[in-house]
Amino acid sequence: MAVSGVAKQPSSESFDLTLKGDRALARYSLGVASKFDVPTVVMLCVSVITGYLVLPPLYSVVQTSLFTTKLTGEIDQFTLRYYEDLFRELQVLGPFLNTFYFSVGSAVFATLLGGSIAWIVVRTDSPLRGLGYFTAFASFGTPFILYTIGWLLLLGRAGPVNYWLKIWFDQAGPVINVYSMFGMILIESLLWSPFVFLMLAAAFRSMDPSLEEASAACGARVWQTMRRISLRLMLPAFFSVMLLIFIRTFESFEIPALVGLPGDIRVLTTSIYLDAQKLPPRYGSAGAFSVLLMVVVAATLYFYFRMTREGDRYQTVTGKGYRPTVIRLGRWRYLAGAGLVTYSVVLLVLPFLIILWASVLPFYMQPGIEGLTKLTLKNYVAALHFPKVTDAIKNSVLLGLGSASFVMALTLLASWLLVRTKIRGRWLLDLMTTLPLLFPGIVMGLAILRFYLFVPIPVYGTLWILLIAFVTRYIPYGIRYTHSGLLQLHKELEEASYVAGASWFSSMRRIILPLMTPSFLGGWIFIFLLSAKELSMSVLLVSPQTPVVSVAIFELWENAQVGELAAFGVIWTVILVTVAIVYYAFARRYGIQQN
Amino acid sequence: MVARNRDMPTIVALLTAWVLSAGVASAATVEEIALMNRADRQKILVEGAKKEGKVSWYTTLIVDQVVRPVKEAFEKEYPFIQMEYFRGNSERIVQKMLAEYQAKRYDVDIIDGTVSPTMVRRTGYLQRYYSPMLAEYPAELKDPQGFWGTTNLYFFATGYNTRMVKPTEVPKTYEDLLHPRWKGQMMWSTSCGSGAPIFVGTILNTMGAEAGKAYLQKLKAQNIAKSTASNRQVLDLTIAGEYPLALQMFNHHAFISKSAGAPVDWQPHEPVTATIHTVALAKNSPHPHAAMLLLDFVMSEKGQRVYQQANYLPSHPKVPAKQADLKPGPRFKRVYYINPDAQYDKGNEWVDYFNNVFLK
């Protein structure tokens, strides 16, 4: 593969290329006099680490898609069968169109929703702005399966929403059918909107107010300014977010399976899953599907890269006081506040309440008086007796801290290379850092499992193997956060630092890192929460000595009753929300989160 | 290495001891221990297990409900053995074991599941074994070649919400499921190990291919809602009132919920589908003596009572279920036991048939 070639020899390429195009950044000193300039060294380190993490699973995914396997899992014969199957599947218009509508719908709706909330929270004087952050963190902390179940119970045929709507509209049957495309898009977008919020909030906060002020000075109304200035400046961030959600939704399986399938709405992933549900398990079709996606995404990224090549246009954080002005909404601020409350209720309170409700019942009943007579804590007792529950919580928290810190550090450097330097072929680094997004979790889990069984690095059966897997999996998210954050940072700030004689390292530490804090921390907490939920790789990589929470939840989901699952979920959500609140308080105190 | 002269005797003694102990251990291969059938078998196993000190079990059983009680009971019986377990679904534990075997890492002694032992058997990584307990089991509950025994059984039935369906209206037979009243009112799981494909298999095998296919075509017209959720979750949706009927449910799940007061009950359709939870020995079991003691234990009447108390349905003919009517008896008699080898060989056809008929 072309990608592997680059990863092995980025240095030779960058030696002769020493930043010809970028005179201002031409020479940095590492403190130690050396003939290596900083970008080369950084590129070398980042590429080697990223390549080490990403290439083995990439190889494995491609291999899975091209070879049959023996019963033992060994590679057998070359075949194009999986691709033929896939193209046959693609020709069936139904699933393909469904997938398309589902991903576009979710990407658009989630971006609109999360974007509006981010704008209200960061840029306006609406009351209750803190609620936006709290909601985003808390709902993101809710384990995924639980969240979906909560929504199904709420919107189901016998659920409270349909119950009230039936009375309201005087209908006999259910009014809303959640097992539909509408239901899928709704739940998927709600699920992703905190991600949009966290990412766009970071971007909104680093917006250059001078352009908006100029617009206002020219007599433009708030709305005009927003449309013609603010939103355009935000283009890379919007694009990043939508691309990510589009891809994730395109390849997502859980919502289509749990929400779409009962209503006979099939997407590509459900078709592939149902066809591949065989003995012995075959991952060829899943592999072929992700290879195809990789090609599509590589093309998209290439264009994205060309688009943001003239990145200067989007640099909004300059040496001039860049803190964006707060837009005064006047009377509208109450409406904005009401919007925040509604968002919070819909995204967080309703599903959490129904899960809380399920957790205190001996068996699931629709909310009502009858249930109140049967309240019990036995599900909590059962959940707390779950084997090694404290170890699981400890391990999950450790993994979250480790993977979030490592990913953000690595991707900050990678983004710096992508945005600030002109090293040729750096779009391949961009591609490499985006690829893990496309690996099917189970194939990636297997790849990592096999790799460390064979390579004599003793991480098999320890927490380290999980850390390696998580870091690899979440590099793409880190890169989106740091990349759009760095794009907004005007390079003259850095240049000023070099001119003043600072070394590369101290410029990084004293200029870039502080200015990048919002997106850096946004990404950090995001990855922390995400890794707390990771499942598809963890189920393979955990050992009896290294239990993690998400696997425990999955076991409950597969085997236990809704009540026990809900009780465990409530406990875990409370823990994650506590972490988020502590983080938030900390961030506020040190003035890095809020204005 | 610099060894002073005065250390030499110690080193020699240690080396001799090591050679001797290695000699003793290698005297019996895993195969010899597994197939041993002699009067002092128990004594040899206990002595060997004392040296091994532990046993490792890859299981699909639920830790909280049954694995821990089994571990406690087994460790009480043999205090010198520590039982370790790794829990996952069939696919995961098989993948884990196969990946380890390819890397020549032999961690696992015992593997269980409805089809996982068969999946491993086909790769040649299982060891046949002899256990005196096997004699107490009927032919359909053990492998003729000795690759697996069984610990517990699963019987499938239709679960129904008792507030939405009166006991008199409940569909009693497979034919009753075709009544127009149930159109759009049923749900089942797509799980290949315990959901709709198993139902398809039972119908095709018990009604015969022609009649079976005709029946399934009619059933398709009933628009049964499908979910990738597990059987347990589908039953919970029925309890919540989403769908009045849940096809192909574990009867003990319905019983457990009913005992908790939930508006749910189960109705068998004869012949009732049953799957078998098998238990097998890994080819290169690192603790073969302890593994054989564990296999003996879980299939013995004493071990089977642990399964019974955990609300599982013991395989042993003499050990009834805690709630007796969950096993064949007055409530249902005719049972179609799905042999794990048949499930492995035919399972893909059932999945394909299900996909082609019910998903298009």
Side-chain angles (χ1 to χ4, degrees):
Chain A
M1 290 256 351
V3 180
S4 58
V6 165
K8 279 180 200 131
Q9 43 157 315
S11 52
S12 63
E13 204 175 356
S14 37
F15 273 131
D16 8 287
L17 254 180
T18 325
L19 300 170
K20 284 175 194 149
D22 210 334
R23 283 173 302 278
L25 294 179
R27 283 281 166 226
Y28 315 89
S29 85
L30 257 178
V32 188
S34 84
K35 55 185 171 185
F36 298 100
D37 51 40
V38 174
T40 313
V41 175
V42 175
M43 183 75 179
L44 196 66
C45 297
V46 170
S47 304
V48 166
I49 294 175
T50 315
Y52 171 75
L53 290 171
V54 174
L55 295 180
L58 173 69
Y59 175 74
S60 189
V61 171
V62 175
Q63 192 188 42
T64 308
S65 75
L66 284 174
F67 289 88
T68 57
T69 46
K70 287 185 196 157
L71 287 176
T72 52
E74 284 168 279
I75 294 303
D76 199 9
Q77 282 167 350
F78 180 81
T79 178
L80 286 174
R81 196 178 75 204
Y82 301 122
Y83 287 92
E84 285 161 13
D85 287 352
L86 179 63
F87 283 110
R88 207 170 308 125
E89 199 71 58
L90 284 174
Q91 282 164 12
V92 184
L93 209 55
F96 183 74
L97 280 182
N98 282 339
T99 312
F100 188 75
Y101 295 147
F102 174 52
S103 346
V104 171
S106 305
V108 168
F109 191 58
T111 310
L112 276 180
L113 190 63
S116 321
I117 299 298
W119 184 76
I120 292 177
V121 168
V122 176
R123 299 299 314 275
T124 73
D125 59 347
S126 154
L128 297 172
R129 277 170 298 158
L131 195 62
Y133 282 102
F134 176 76
T135 307
F137 289 139
S139 79
F140 216 74
T142 315
F144 180 83
I145 293 168
L146 208 60
Y147 194 84
T148 313
I149 295 289
W151 275 105
L152 285 183
L153 291 176
L154 266 176
L155 296 177
R157 311 207 303 181
V161 171
N162 267 318
Y163 177 79
W164 289 108
L165 286 178
K166 266 196 285 193
I167 293 176
W168 187 266
F169 290 110
D170 202 17
Q171 295 268 326
V175 180
I176 294 179
N177 177 15
V178 68
Y179 304 112
S180 61
M181 182 59 82
F182 159 78
M184 285 162 70
I185 293 180
L186 179 73
I187 298 178
E188 184 86 19
S189 327
L190 287 175
L191 210 61
W192 280 103
S193 69
F195 165 72
V196 178
F197 170 82
L198 290 173
M199 201 158 153
L200 291 186
F204 275 125
R205 204 172 307 111
S206 330
M207 184 108 84
D208 186 358
S210 67
L211 295 168
E212 288 179 356
E213 279 158 16
S215 161
C218 293
R221 292 161 169 275
V222 171
W223 167 241
Q224 278 176 319
T225 304
M226 222 172 89
R227 187 164 58 86
R228 303 184 59 169
I229 309 290
S230 321
L231 287 181
R232 292 201 179 180
L233 282 171
M234 297 281 293
L235 216 54
F238 269 113
F239 183 82
S240 270
V241 158
M242 285 184 60
L243 180 71
L244 256 176
I245 300 178
F246 179 82
I247 296 170
R248 289 302 303 188
T249 317
F250 203 88
E251 58 167 4
S252 73
F253 169 69
E254 291 87 349
I255 300 278
L258 291 174
V259 184
L261 200 61
D264 271 327
I265 295 181
R266 288 203 298 154
V267 299
L268 290 171
T269 46
T270 41
S271 297
I272 288 170
Y273 170 82
L274 290 169
D275 283 341
Q277 202 192 13
K278 298 278 167 67
L279 296 173
R282 291 199 278 259
Y283 303 109
S285 338
F289 183 60
S290 60
V291 169
L292 186 77
L293 265 178
M294 280 182 222
V295 173
V296 173
V297 170
T300 319
L301 271 187
Y302 179 74
F303 286 112
Y304 171 69
F305 205 77
R306 287 184 57 141
M307 194 175 98
T308 52
R309 184 146 68 177
E310 297 158 53
D312 299 3
R313 297 200 330 222
Y314 303 104
Q315 291 174 341
T316 51
V317 179
T318 59
K320 302 153 241 164
Y322 79 96
R323 284 294 183 200
T325 45
V326 166
I327 296 166
R328 303 206 179 281
L329 292 175
R331 279 176 302 158
W332 294 98
R333 61 195 290 265
Y334 297 105
L335 188 70
L340 283 180
V341 173
T342 315
Y343 176 71
S344 175
V345 167
V346 171
L347 188 72
L348 182 66
V349 179
L350 287 182
F352 187 75
L353 279 183
I354 200 110
I355 290 161
L356 194 64
W357 172 251
S359 74
V360 293
L361 291 175
F363 55 91
Y364 188 74
M365 279 174 279
Q366 297 302 339
I369 307 291
E370 192 200 342
L372 288 175
T373 63
K374 295 209 157 92
L375 298 186
T376 169
L377 285 178
K378 85 175 176 59
N379 290 323
Y380 284 89
V381 176
L384 287 174
H385 278 93
F386 201 77
K388 300 180 180 169
V389 67
T390 43
D391 284 353
I393 290 172
K394 194 186 82 194
N395 287 340
S396 283
V397 170
L398 275 178
L399 279 170
L401 294 173
S403 42
S405 307
F406 194 87
V407 167
M408 290 317 289
L410 181 71
T411 55
L412 180 65
L413 292 178
S415 290
W416 181 80
L417 288 168
L418 296 173
V419 176
R420 283 288 183 269
T421 70
K422 300 278 190 230
I423 298 175
R424 209 191 325 166
R426 65 198 189 285
W427 71 275
L428 278 171
L429 182 65
D430 198 8
L431 180 62
M432 207 154 65
T433 51
T434 307
L435 283 180
L437 197 63
L438 305 169
F439 301 157
I442 184 75
V443 177
M444 186 166 161
L446 259 181
I448 290 177
L449 177 84
R450 294 211 182 108
F451 188 71
Y452 287 101
L453 270 170
F454 282 102
V455 176
I457 302 173
V459 296
Y460 186 75
T462 67
L463 273 186
W464 292 102
I465 195 169
L466 283 159
L467 181 70
I468 291 169
F470 284 12
V471 167
T472 314
R473 188 116 189 108
Y474 296 131
I475 285 176
Y477 296 95
I479 206 91
R480 289 305 115 193
Y481 269 98
T482 48
H483 192 258
S484 60
L486 209 56
L487 266 186
Q488 290 182 321
L489 219 59
H490 203 289
K491 64 179 176 208
E492 67 195 20
L493 296 166
E494 217 177 310
E495 287 162 10
S497 165
Y498 298 130
V499 169
S503 69
W504 175 82
F505 184 74
S506 61
S507 305
M508 210 61 182
R509 189 169 59 86
R510 299 180 58 175
I511 308 291
I512 297 192
L513 206 53
L515 287 172
M516 285 281 290
T517 310
S519 44
F520 189 88
L521 285 178
W524 191 93
I525 193 79
F526 182 78
I527 292 168
F528 176 85
L529 293 175
L530 214 53
S531 69
K533 299 200 283 191
E534 204 292 328
L535 183 63
S536 52
M537 298 183 303
S538 310
V539 285
L540 268 177
L541 299 177
V542 291
S543 74
Q545 288 76 39
T546 57
V548 297
V549 171
S550 56
V551 174
I553 287 177
F554 181 68
E555 306 247 295
L556 283 167
W557 151 247
E558 276 202 321
N559 303 304
Q561 296 167 51
V562 166
E564 288 167 28
L565 172 69
F568 194 92
V570 167
I571 296 171
W572 182 230
T573 305
V574 167
I575 292 173
L576 283 187
V577 169
T578 314
V579 171
I581 290 174
V582 169
Y583 158 85
Y584 183 61
F586 176 85
R588 252 192 116 130
R589 177 157 174 200
Y590 292 93
I592 42 191
Q593 187 68 54
Q594 278 280 301
N595 305 334
Chain B
M1 282 290 286
V2 181
R4 298 217 177 112
N5 276 344
R6 56 193 162 93
D7 291 335
M8 279 312 279
T10 331
I11 291 171
V12 170
L14 280 174
L15 273 176
T16 319
W18 177 72
V19 168
L20 279 178
S21 67
V24 171
S26 65
T29 62
V30 174
E31 184 174 14
E32 282 160 358
I33 296 162
L35 294 173
M36 182 168 46
N37 180 8
R38 47 196 262 196
D40 58 349
R41 174 177 181 272
Q42 179 70 12
K43 189 170 154 270
I44 295 174
L45 289 183
V46 167
E47 272 168 19
K50 274 184 182 159
K51 291 196 193 91
E52 292 163 358
K54 68 176 194 175
V55 60
S56 150
W57 186 5
Y58 287 6
T59 181
T60 63
L61 289 171
I62 299 167
V63 172
D64 199 32
Q65 292 170 0
V66 67
V67 181
R68 271 205 302 193
V70 168
K71 175 178 158 78
E72 279 159 23
F74 178 69
E75 289 179 352
K76 202 172 150 201
E77 189 85 7
Y78 301 104
F80 45 87
I81 308 176
Q82 205 200 342
M83 188 189 116
E84 286 185 349
Y85 54 82
F86 168 81
R87 200 266 159 195
N89 64 24
S90 316
E91 201 178 310
R92 303 278 183 281
I93 62 171
V94 172
Q95 278 164 350
K96 189 173 163 77
M97 175 173 171
L98 296 185
E100 288 173 356
Y101 263 60
Q102 277 181 47
K104 302 209 168 15
R105 184 186 171 112
Y106 307 123
D107 285 354
V108 55
D109 293 301
I110 289 179
I111 185 162
D112 71 18
T114 47
V115 286
S116 24
T118 309
M119 283 160 76
V120 178
R121 175 182 179 177
R122 297 299 166 100
T123 63
Y125 293 154
L126 277 194
Q127 171 59 52
R128 294 165 54 217
Y129 64 86
Y130 162 81
S131 163
M133 304 302 159
L134 285 170
E136 295 167 30
Y137 287 78
E140 70 258 30
L141 298 183
K142 59 190 173 196
D143 181 54
Q145 288 175 276
F147 276 108
W148 51 262
T150 158
T151 55
N152 54 295
L153 305 168
Y154 304 102
F155 297 97
F156 293 91
T158 290
Y160 63 96
N161 185 314
T162 50
R163 287 191 190 157
M164 303 167 87
V165 185
K166 291 195 200 95
T168 50
E169 300 165 339
V170 179
K172 302 280 194 298
T173 64
Y174 287 112
E175 288 298 322
D176 289 350
L177 295 174
L178 302 177
H179 193 284
R181 172 172 175 190
W182 306 119
K183 188 166 180 151
Q185 303 297 310
M186 301 183 275
M187 191 177 212
W188 58 7
S189 162
T190 59
S191 157
C192 71
S194 55
I198 296 284
F199 184 99
V200 168
T202 302
I203 295 292
L204 292 178
N205 281 332
T206 58
M207 289 189 187
E210 285 303 309
K213 282 178 183 168
Y215 173 82
L216 292 171
Q217 284 295 340
K218 286 186 222 153
L219 192 64
K220 168 202 165 80
Q222 293 292 70
N223 282 339
I224 307 173
K226 294 156 280 280
S227 174
T228 52
S230 67
N231 295 46
R232 178 70 245 184
Q233 303 304 331
V234 172
L235 188 68
D236 279 342
L237 284 176
T238 290
I239 293 172
E242 285 292 291
Y243 291 87
L245 297 185
L247 299 189
Q248 191 74 0
M249 293 294 113
F250 293 109
N251 64 357
H252 68 284
H253 282 167
F255 166 74
I256 289 168
S257 293
K258 190 187 171 191
S259 309
V264 69
D265 209 337
W266 58 279
Q267 171 67 46
H269 310 302
E270 291 192 355
V272 164
T273 317
T275 52
I276 304 169
H277 197 95
T278 58
V279 56
L281 180 67
K283 179 127 204 136
N284 297 313
S285 158
H287 318 101
H289 298 90
M292 285 317 299
L293 288 177
L294 181 56
L295 285 170
D296 287 352
F297 180 75
V298 291
M299 290 188 288
S300 70
E301 277 196 57
K302 190 171 189 180
Q304 286 283 288
R305 297 215 179 268
V306 181
Y307 284 77
Q308 176 199 50
Q309 289 310 306
N311 255 321
Y312 277 67
L313 310 180
S315 305
H316 199 291
K318 284 196 199 134
V319 184
K322 200 172 173 189
Q323 169 71 18
D325 68 358
L326 293 172
K327 275 179 79 169
R331 198 156 170 185
F332 65 97
K333 291 187 179 61
R334 285 204 299 135
V335 177
Y336 173 65
Y337 287 101
I338 297 186
N339 176 286
D341 289 293
Q343 190 176 346
Y344 184 89
D345 291 329
K346 291 284 179 182
N348 290 351
E349 287 173 32
W350 301 341
V351 169
D352 283 336
Y353 191 86
F354 169 73
N355 287 351
N356 289 332
V357 172
F358 289 93
L359 286 174
K360 301 291 169 186

